[in-house]
Amino acid sequence: MVSPDKNQSTTMMFILLGFSEYPELQVPLFLLFLTIYTVTVVGNVGMIVVIMINPKLHTSMYFFLKHLSFVDFCYSTITTPKLLENLVVEDRSISINACITQFFIGVIFAMTEMVILAVMAYDRFVAICYPLLYMVFMSPQHCALFMTVAYTWGIISSTVLSYSILVLSFCETKVINNFVCEYNVFLSASCSDKHFSEIILFIFVNLNAFCTLIIILTSYLFIFVTIFKMHSDSGRYKAFSTCSSHLMAVAIFYGTIIFLYCIPKSKNSSLIFKVGSVFYTIVIPMLNPFIYSLRNNDVKESFRKIMDHKTLYQ
């Protein structure tokens, strides 16, 4: 491990190229990402407000959905403003300290989202497989405990990963072909031994992904077995409908991550990687509110009542 020079780390800069190799697309991309970010903010904040003001939605499922919307809003806010800035300014530099801060906060919410998706799968498992015990297993105290664990694990993971970055040394200003401060940005920019940092990255990222996926897949295995044992077609349909939104969100989130990080680097162009990064850092936080609201009658009805209420006072 090599400790970085304190003065050096405060003056060193990264240059995030983003999409600067396509100058003719800077304005269209700015308008596109600004629109996506606006929809993300409105959608996720709207989801949080609707769940908070509607007593009918004060259940464990919507409690977790509220926190998922909060995490998506925060995660998008960490990355999108810097991307928008780099699309309209000539100076695309960012200090190492600022880059590490962006990374630290972003990892908190990324890791927390994985745990929340796993907890939501467990919630559906209890609701469908053990409906009579649902209020016991998913009591308000247990739900609060689950969220405390999710955020705590996110902070712990981010702290350890950030520490593994702080032990690296950076020798000169580096031009980074990306728009966000991901872990690979620091590894590619470092001029010191990266073995320790790579081990920490491998352990924490794979541990988090493996454990959450095991919880999700195991929960849905039991859910599907229970559903197929049901004799009522309406019962099967209702059970599937309560899981469909979450399954779609999980498939999009983990599918993007697997596509990006399981394809050999030699076959994965920088453009594909950047487009994929845009998808899971900017697009997915926008999609989740639509996935859950469009396929959920309770949420749609709550949105409709709010809009009708506003119309009456216009």
Side-chain angles (χ1 to χ4, degrees), residues 125-155:
F125 158 72
V126 176
I128 294 173
C129 299
Y130 300 98
L132 298 180
L133 297 175
Y134 183 73
M135 295 307 298
V136 176
F137 287 113
M138 305 307 296
S139 66
Q141 294 78 11
H142 287 163
C143 292
L145 178 61
F146 286 141
M147 285 302 93
T148 301
V149 171
Y151 287 110
T152 301
W153 178 248
I155 293 172

Side-chain angles (χ1 to χ4, degrees), residues 174-220:
K174 289 285 185 177
V175 177
I176 307 299
N177 191 17
N178 208 328
F179 66 92
V180 64
C181 293
E182 293 185 316
Y183 203 92
N184 289 333
V185 167
F186 301 101
L187 291 180
S188 63
S190 174
C191 58
S192 60
D193 183 17
K194 308 168 189 175
H195 185 64
F196 170 78
S197 300
E198 290 172 338
I199 291 177
I200 294 297
L201 174 67
F202 178 83
I203 291 175
F204 268 83
V205 172
N206 285 280
L207 176 66
N208 202 73
F210 177 77
C211 290
T212 53
L213 269 177
I214 285 296
I215 294 172
I216 292 170
L217 295 176
T218 303
S219 296
Y220 277 106

Side-chain angles (χ1 to χ4, degrees), residues 67 70-71 104-105 107-116 119 143-161 204 208:
H67 282 275
F70 171 73
V71 167
F104 174 77
I105 300 175
V107 170
I108 290 177
F109 294 114
M111 294 293 189
T112 300
E113 177 156 352
M114 285 188 177
V115 179
I116 291 177
V119 171
C143 292
L145 178 61
F146 286 141
M147 285 302 93
T148 301
V149 171
Y151 287 110
T152 301
W153 178 248
I155 293 172
I156 292 173
S157 299
S158 183
T159 301
V160 174
L161 289 172
F204 268 83
N208 202 73

